[in-house]
Amino acid sequence: MAEQDPQLATPPSATDSTGDAGTDAIAQPAALATDASEQPYQVAADPAVLAQAIPFNQEAAQSIVDARDKLMKSIEADIAWYDGAKQKRAFWARLIRGSMIGFGGVSAVLPVITPFNLGTWTIPASATSVMMVVTATMYAYERYYGNADAWMRFEMARQRLQRLSEEFELNWLALQVAGAGKPDLAKELTELIRVSSARYNIIQTETEQWISSFKAGMKTSVPKAAEEGKAG
């Protein structure tokens, strides 16, 4: 989610490591190797041990409820951010790719109709070249910013966060019903840590996909001659 690019701002509830933009506009998001971001949180003490060491009291229960509310608000803010960012990227992806198809089609037809007598209207000989340059420029732009890829990435992350939110609510309801007025602090703490870690992993995975795609986009949008000049 935390994709830092000139078009979108940093998401409201994510750290600087989350992302928004840039990638190969044609290919699917790059696969990622499992790394430290996929590991669960390192907590000071096991929730079950902590709950056994501290007898149930209303103050502790309220602290857990406050933490749950804060986590839910963060997830809701993430979902809203991804939804808004997705719509922006969808608009630009459709516009640019549609324009590429249009200009590309016109550049292919112009050489065919140029020889015909169109009366007072004359098609410049350079029109085809201009159309091809415009199409190539839009292609390079899309490869660099990756609107289409970001659109898909954001939608996938939004759906995963939405599912996590609903799952969290149902699991929490089950814990309250099972507790019969006296919640199990160990289970509640365990659920909080699980959901918080899952939220972080969703955002971190999307960010890593953006980094990988953005690097690929930079390579494909830089002229080959310029790359060879640097290598030399």
Side-chain angles (χ1 to χ4, degrees), residues 12-32:
S13 62
T15 62
D16 291 338
S17 63
T18 55
D20 158 14
T23 182
D24 181 350
I26 307 302
Q28 294 289 336
L32 297 174

Side-chain angles (χ1 to χ4, degrees), residues 151-198:
W151 174 14
M152 292 183 288
R153 254 191 359 262
F154 292 165
E155 176 60 19
M156 291 170 59
R158 187 197 66 80
Q159 290 184 10
R160 292 178 65 191
L161 286 167
Q162 184 65 49
R163 176 181 176 180
L164 179 65
S165 175
E166 296 174 2
E167 181 183 89
F168 186 27
E169 290 184 2
L170 291 175
N171 286 349
W172 196 268
L173 177 61
L175 289 174
Q176 303 311 302
V177 173
K182 187 177 180 180
D184 189 324
L185 298 186
K187 292 181 179 179
E188 289 188 351
L189 285 171
T190 300
E191 179 66 5
L192 281 174
I193 293 173
R194 183 192 71 82
V195 173
S196 183
S197 180

